[in-house]
Amino acid sequence: MRDLSNNRDRLAINSATVKPWTLEQLVDGCARAGISAIAPWRDIVQAVGIPKAGKVIRDAGIAVSCLCRGGMFPAADEAGRKAALEDNKRAVDEAVGIGAGSLVLIAGGLPKGSKDLPGAHKQVRDGLAALLEYARTAKMPLAIEPLHPMYAADRACVNTLAHANDLCDELGEGLGIALDAYHVWWDPDLKRQIARAGKRIITYHVCDWMVPTTDLLLDRGMPGDGAIDLKAIRAMVEATGYDYYIDVEIFSANNWWKRDPNEVLRICLERHQTVV
Ligand code: ZN
């Protein structure tokens, strides 16, 4: 593994932060800016094709902190659940193909028209268990990412770190946690649950919570611009021994996505040094 003792080298750029860029542009842009790692979403990897994506990344000497994302397990019927599992197996293969540190998974919400939240929780558990068999063979760590409760119905019904910890307790080896400060910062139990998670935290993401937030998905802030005490959360995470990448992941349709991505990278690097 790389030496990440220099704080600058801890920064990874999630492809959502520089949304307009292709994989090649992301790799080139990070290399130019002196940023050593990326966290791509599957769409830009698939657009290039896995063998070429792996080659582009390796040739540039860029590391892949994690691949975003699979999951979305609940479905209205067996065929839907099977399709989700097959897609998730492809995501594991993609993660292996680009040398990702882990595959990030979000739970998925309620099947269309359903009000059965406990049923959705069970489908997530069963989906994770089925995917784990495949991922263990492929030696690809899975990272379940609890999302803010506002997404429980449509994107992810695993909403607290406690729930993610429970799933890890139950399902065991091969399952870890993607901790994203944006989704968990509000939790009064955060410090205890981070300590409980310990080495299970295998990827850590940051952005900021804007006040007011004008869009549930696409109004995330640059670290330092919002309400989250990112230094305090990082200290809790690092108290577990976490010394891997810190991914800046910003969905921002009306602000950061409209700026020059090179400028966005420069500001990410600066904020990573000062407020993360
Ligand atoms: Zn995230």
Side-chain angles (χ1 to χ4, degrees):
M1 196 172 123
R2 293 179 185 215
D3 175 11
L4 298 179
S5 51
N6 181 342
N7 186 45
R8 184 192 173 99
D9 296 333
R10 302 280 302 279
L11 172 64
I13 298 293
N14 187 290
S15 64
T17 303
V18 284
K19 177 89 175 158
W21 271 358
T22 64
L23 181 71
E24 284 104 328
Q25 287 174 310
L26 176 64
V27 166
D28 286 350
C30 285
R32 272 198 313 275
I35 294 167
S36 59
I38 60 171
W41 277 61
R42 293 178 68 194
D43 58 346
I44 65 166
V45 171
Q46 289 168 348
V48 177
I50 308 310
K52 188 175 170 201
K55 184 172 183 336
V56 164
I57 292 165
R58 281 190 300 275
D59 286 355
I62 295 281
V64 181
S65 68
C66 60
L67 176 68
C68 295
R69 62 167 170 53
M72 306 295 278
F73 295 104
D77 55 26
E78 191 52 41
R81 285 185 284 276
K82 215 171 158 197
L85 181 60
E86 289 311 309
D87 183 57
N88 280 310
K89 288 180 179 175
R90 283 196 294 278
V92 168
D93 296 342
E94 290 162 14
V96 171
I98 61 168
S102 63
L103 171 64
V104 172
L105 304 170
I106 67 168
L110 295 166
K112 202 169 167 20
S114 169
K115 297 186 181 187
D116 181 8
L117 186 58
H121 290 157
K122 183 174 183 308
Q123 290 194 39
V124 172
R125 180 238 167 260
D126 293 348
L128 281 170
L131 184 60
L132 266 171
E133 285 178 31
Y134 187 82
R136 283 179 188 133
T137 306
K139 296 191 166 34
M140 177 48 60
L142 302 180
I144 181 75
E145 179 170 359
L147 298 197
H148 190 281
M150 66 183 170
Y151 300 117
D154 60 346
R155 302 178 79 80
C157 62
V158 172
N159 306 106
T160 62
L161 186 49
H163 190 169
N165 272 324
D166 288 346
L167 286 164
C168 289
D169 280 348
E170 185 183 350
L171 298 174
E173 190 221 316
L175 182 62
I177 292 169
L179 190 74
D180 189 326
Y182 184 80
H183 295 296
V184 299
W185 69 279
W186 54 272
D187 185 347
D189 205 23
L190 186 60
K191 190 170 184 184
R192 211 165 57 93
Q193 291 297 335
I194 287 176
R196 178 184 164 203
K199 289 285 182 196
R200 288 164 173 166
I201 298 174
I202 51 178
T203 175
Y204 177 51
H205 307 167
V206 295
C207 65
D208 218 331
W209 186 278
M210 301 307 289
V211 182
T213 288
T214 57
D215 185 288
L216 293 188
L217 186 62
L218 302 178
D219 187 29
R220 301 185 190 184
M222 178 64 67
D225 286 352
I228 305 177
D229 187 347
L230 289 167
K231 273 189 186 289
I233 297 177
R234 176 173 175 174
M236 293 176 207
V237 171
E238 290 185 343
T240 67
Y242 185 87
D243 57 3
Y244 197 54
Y245 295 102
I246 298 174
D247 301 4
V248 176
E249 181 184 36
I250 305 172
F251 292 77
S252 174
N254 291 321
N255 185 2
W256 298 102
W257 287 355
K258 291 187 170 166
R259 304 207 192 180
D260 171 9
N262 295 294
E263 171 75 357
V264 175
L265 288 192
R266 191 187 61 71
I267 297 170
C268 286
L269 197 47
E270 180 195 307
R271 299 293 177 88
H272 173 75
Q273 307 279 38
T274 53
V275 299
V276 173

